[in-house]
């Protein structure tokens, strides 16, 4: 995993001006106030219009749409989210694909609602590049969380600014594809 982290850090260093500007803006407090209302709404609209093949935010980061069950309501909840695909998640239909979700909530104080939903009911589905995938979510803790957090910071540096602004520890989840029929 060290070589992969180094490659991501090097990729970040070579990021173009546009990417660097977006990273700086997305780490700001102003962005944290506006983005939670604007970005998910735009993503939902684009996802619907493209029949699940695209999200607007994927111009900067990979994304998926999480369908979970509301922890209190019991109703289905569809949430567009940025994700960090792990080895094998980029293509093919083979088992073992996985994705990391970062519960940053744009650096706002409370945990995002979707993290509560995953803790209450970890068997969920995602829409990934137009395909529906059944997954199981696991909250990462300890050394495993620390290693994934380092990779997440290399993948998207604004997560560090989000963590600095809040006292809670940002939740990290690994979504792992479940074989068909389970």
């Amino acid at each position: 995993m060290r070589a992969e982290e180094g490659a991501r850090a090097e990729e970040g260093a070579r990021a173009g001006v546009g990417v660097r500007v977006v990273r700086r803006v997305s780490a700001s407090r102003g962005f944290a106030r506006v983005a939670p209302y604007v970005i998910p709404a735009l993503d939902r609209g684009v996802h619907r219009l493209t029949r699940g093949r695209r999200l607007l935010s994927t111009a900067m980061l990979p994304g998926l749409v999480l369908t979970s069950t509301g922890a209190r309501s019991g109703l289905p909840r569809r949430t567009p989210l940025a994700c960090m695909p792990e080895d094998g998640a980029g293509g093919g239909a083979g088992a073992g694909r996985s994705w990391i979700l970062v519960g940053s909530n744009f650096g706002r104080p409370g945990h995002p609602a979707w993290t509560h939903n995953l803790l209450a009911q970890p068997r969920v589905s995602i829409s990934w590049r137009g395909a529906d995938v059944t997954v199981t979510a696991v909250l990462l803790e300890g050394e495993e969380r620390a290693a994934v957090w380092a990779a997440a910071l290399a993948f998207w540096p604004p997560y560090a600014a989000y963590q600095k602004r809040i006292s809670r520890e940002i939740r990290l989840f690994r979504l792992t594809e479940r074989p068909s029929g389970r």
Side-chain angles (χ1 to χ4, degrees), residues 155-166:
F155 183 74
W156 190 243
Y159 288 142
Y162 298 166
Q163 184 63 78
K164 272 186 188 175
R165 284 201 299 263
I166 55 178

Side-chain angles (χ1 to χ4, degrees), residues 8 11 43 55-65 80-86 89-90 99-101 127-129 155-156 159:
R8 284 188 180 143
E11 181 179 309
D43 271 342
L55 293 169
L56 184 63
S57 61
T58 58
M60 291 308 302
L61 288 171
L64 53 79
V65 176
L81 298 167
C83 69
M84 188 173 80
E86 292 190 302
W99 300 261
I100 298 297
L101 297 182
S127 174
W128 171 249
R129 296 181 175 170
F155 183 74
W156 190 243
Y159 288 142

Side-chain angles (χ1 to χ4, degrees), residues 33-107:
R33 282 191 291 271
V34 174
Y37 304 102
V38 175
I39 292 175
L42 291 173
D43 271 342
R44 282 187 194 98
V46 169
H47 192 256
R48 221 175 285 124
L49 288 172
T50 63
R51 295 188 178 126
R53 290 185 304 274
R54 300 251 190 271
L55 293 169
L56 184 63
S57 61
T58 58
M60 291 308 302
L61 288 171
L64 53 79
V65 176
L66 171 70
T67 302
S68 60
T69 301
R72 284 193 237 168
S73 69
L75 298 173
R77 301 292 183 205
R78 292 178 52 82
T79 310
L81 298 167
C83 69
M84 188 173 80
E86 292 190 302
D87 292 334
R97 295 185 296 172
S98 61
W99 300 261
I100 298 297
L101 297 182
V102 179
S104 68
N105 205 12
F106 297 99

Side-chain angles (χ1 to χ4, degrees), residues 13-25:
R14 291 190 316 247
V17 173
V19 172
R20 289 194 306 265
V21 168
V22 169
R23 286 178 178 171
R24 182 170 294 140
V25 168

Side-chain angles (χ1 to χ4, degrees), residues 5 25 46 58 62-63 76 90-91 104 106 121 123 137 141 150 171 174:
E5 289 172 18
V25 168
V46 169
T58 58
S104 68
F106 297 99
Q121 176 54 262
R123 297 174 69 119
E141 299 176 311
R171 291 176 176 162
R174 175 174 284 119

